[in-house]
Amino acid sequence: MPSQLFTPGPVPLHPAVAAALAEPVIHHRTPEFEATLQKVFHLLPRIFQTREHCCVVTTTGSGAMEAAIVNTLAPGQKVLALVAGKFGERWANMAEALGLAVQRVHVPWGKDLDLTAVEELLRREQPHALFSQACETSTGALLPVQKLSLIRDRISPQTLFLVDAITALGATELPMDDWGLDVVVGGSQKALMSPTGLGVLGLSARAWHICQNGPTLPKFYWDLAEERKANLKNATRFSSATHLLKALACALEILDRVGLPQALRRTHNLQQATHVALTSLGFSSFPETPSPSLSCMRPPAGVSALKLQAHLENRYGMTLMAGQDQLQDQVIRIGHMGYLTNASMLNLFQRIQQSLIELGGSASSLPVVGPLLGQEIY
Ligand SMILES: *Cc1c(COP(=O)(O)O)cnc(C)c1O
C-alpha cells in the first residue's frame, strides 16, 4: 500500500483523475487532444475568475513563477518582494537571479504583515512590481492579497501585482479580475487536484499588453505571447504533456461540476475540523492568520514535529509534512486540498492521537469533529 497523502501538495487524486492518467498515450496534434485543451482553456479562467486567457506551462509551480517574471518585467527594474516564509524567499531570489533590483520586505514567519510599512515602501519606491504569496505554504499564513492590491491601486497604481497563488488558487477566495491582480500563478499538484508537472498562469489585460509588446526579460521557451497564439488554435506551442493535461481537464471538470464556492467551503471545513481536533490534542496554530489551504500547527510541548512525522509515516503509512528551514522541527503541516475523504481525515486525527501516546505523551480525547467536515463533494 502506498502511503496516504495529507500534504499541502502533492495531493491525493480523485479516482477519475487517476484513471485519466492510466489511458493510452495519444498524440497531441489530434482532434481528440485538441478537445481536451479546449476544455482546459475554457474552464481555467473560471478558477482564476478572470475574463482573460489563462496559460498552462509544463513545469512545476516554480517554473510558472519564472514564466510570470520573464513575461512582464524588464532587466534592472525595481521590485518589492514580501518575504513571509520559504516561498517568499523563492520569489525574491528568483527575481534577483533574473536581473531585477529586488527590495525585500521581511515579515517574521507566521506573523501578520504590517500593511502600513508596505504602504510607505510603495510610496517611496514606486516599484515596477510587487510580489507576494496568497498563501505562504511554509508557515500556513494567508496573506492579505486584496488589501495589498487596494493599497497598490491607491499609492502606486502602475505597479504590477504578481501573486504566487499555488496553494490558494481553487482553495481560497482569489477573484483575479475583481481584486485587480496582474499575474496569478497556480500549480497542478495543489488545489487543482492533479499530479505535479503543470503550472498555470493568469495575466491581467495590462500584463498581457506588456507580455506582447515588451519590454521584458529575454525568453524563448517561456514566451507566453507565443504560447497564447498556439492556444487560440487549441494547441500548445511545443509537445503537450498529454497525460498531465488530460488529468487537469478531468480535475477542472470535477471542480466546475461541484462549483468553486463549494470547493472553497470544503477546504474551509477541512481546516476547521483539523483545527478543532488538533487543538484538543494540545497543538496550537502557528500563523496568526491561517490559510484554509493547510493547517500549520505546533505540536504539544515536548513533542518533536520530525519524530511525529516519521512515526506517522513509518507506522501508519500517512504522509504529512514537518516544517521547512527554521521551522523544521517546530510545526507539522497538513494539506486541505485534493481528494480527501471524511473517513481519511477522521482516521488521521485518531492516528495522530495514538502517535502522541506512542511517542511518550499523555492521552487527551478527541472531540466529535465529523459534523465540521460537512459533506464530501467530490
Ligand atoms: C508548492 C508551492 C510552490 C511551487 O513549488 P514547486 O515545487 O515548484 O511546484 C510555490 N509556491 C508555493 C506557495 C507553494 O506552495
Side-chain angles (χ1 to χ4, degrees):
M1 273 275 282
S3 190
Q4 242 185 315
L5 287 177
F6 293 95
T7 44
V11 300
L13 302 181
H14 189 284
V17 176
L21 290 164
E23 286 175 11
V25 173
I26 57 170
H27 196 279
H28 52 286
R29 313 278 184 216
T30 55
E32 182 187 355
F33 189 67
E34 284 166 12
T36 299
L37 279 177
Q38 190 173 20
K39 213 177 285 171
V40 168
F41 297 132
H42 176 66
L43 294 175
L44 259 187
R46 296 191 185 175
I47 305 287
F48 282 86
Q49 300 182 61
T50 179
R51 282 173 295 277
E52 300 294 329
H53 177 69
C54 298
C55 281
V56 184
V57 281
T58 311
T59 168
T60 70
S62 305
M65 291 161 77
E66 183 156 331
I69 294 176
V70 299
N71 280 281
T72 57
L73 295 163
Q77 284 179 344
K78 189 159 60 176
V79 302
L80 208 60
L82 305 186
V83 180
K86 181 95 181 154
F87 292 99
E89 280 169 11
R90 185 171 304 173
W91 252 145
N93 294 343
M94 193 183 277
E96 211 157 59
L98 291 168
L100 299 173
V102 181
Q103 181 160 1
R104 291 168 173 77
V105 182
H106 288 282
V107 183
W109 287 31
K111 297 288 177 229
D112 283 343
L113 181 65
D114 177 359
L115 285 167
T116 330
V118 177
E119 184 169 333
E120 274 162 27
L121 275 166
L122 277 175
R123 182 174 293 116
R124 197 177 71 212
E125 303 290 340
Q126 302 281 311
H128 269 94
L130 172 65
F131 289 73
S132 177
Q133 271 57 43
C135 164
E136 177 45 83
T137 319
S138 61
T139 66
L142 184 70
L143 278 94
V145 168
Q146 186 182 22
K147 284 184 184 149
L148 286 165
S149 187
L150 288 169
I151 291 172
R152 180 277 316 261
D153 287 348
R154 187 158 46 80
I155 306 289
S156 181
Q158 77 288 355
T159 300
L160 295 177
F161 190 11
L162 280 69
V163 182
D164 164 6
I166 294 173
T167 41
L169 190 70
T172 93
E173 187 59 1
L174 196 82
M176 177 171 178
D177 287 359
D178 280 1
W179 288 7
L181 313 178
D182 291 292
V183 185
V184 172
V185 182
S188 54
Q189 81 271 32
K190 312 278 169 100
L192 297 182
M193 307 202 297
S194 302
T196 308
L198 295 176
V200 293
L201 290 135
L203 275 70
S204 66
R206 71 170 172 177
W208 272 119
H209 184 83
I210 296 170
C211 172
Q212 287 158 338
N213 301 291
T216 68
L217 285 151
K219 66 212 179 270
F220 183 80
Y221 188 76
W222 289 143
D223 191 332
L224 295 181
E226 291 299 320
E227 189 64 39
R228 182 181 174 160
K229 285 184 200 160
N231 294 169
L232 290 175
K233 298 179 204 146
N234 293 318
T236 56
R237 197 172 154 217
F238 304 107
S239 297
S240 310
T242 48
H243 269 95
L244 293 177
L245 283 158
K246 277 165 57 162
L248 180 65
C250 179
L252 290 174
E253 273 184 325
I254 293 167
L255 279 170
D256 198 60
R257 193 165 63 232
V258 163
L260 188 58
Q262 283 71 23
L264 303 187
R265 188 165 321 123
R266 174 69 177 167
T267 314
H268 174 82
N269 289 346
L270 293 178
Q271 191 224 14
Q272 290 294 303
T274 304
H275 184 83
V276 170
L278 267 61
T279 305
S280 69
L281 296 178
F283 289 77
S284 57
S285 177
F286 177 74
E288 287 181 344
T289 305
S291 167
S293 326
L294 74 152
S295 292
C296 177
M297 302 190 82
R298 286 187 188 277
V303 176
S304 149
L306 286 170
K307 282 194 183 135
L308 178 59
Q309 178 200 17
H311 190 83
L312 283 157
E313 181 74 43
N314 299 330
R315 168 129 359 159
Y316 297 116
M318 293 174 150
T319 306
L320 42 76
M321 285 289 111
Q324 294 168 284
D325 293 354
Q326 66 197 71
L327 288 183
Q328 200 180 45
D329 200 24
Q330 309 295 309
V331 295
I332 57 157
R333 294 176 301 142
I334 298 170
H336 305 313
M337 302 165 287
Y339 183 69
L340 292 161
T341 61
N342 287 357
S344 71
M345 293 307 294
L346 294 172
N347 193 26
L348 173 69
F349 304 149
Q350 277 165 13
R351 294 307 195 194
I352 290 176
Q353 179 192 36
Q354 235 167 324
S355 299
L356 290 177
I357 298 167
E358 285 155 0
L359 290 169
S362 56
S364 36
S365 63
L366 270 172
V368 176
V369 294
L372 289 175
L373 289 165
Q375 292 261 317
E376 288 175 359
I377 58 170
Y378 298 122

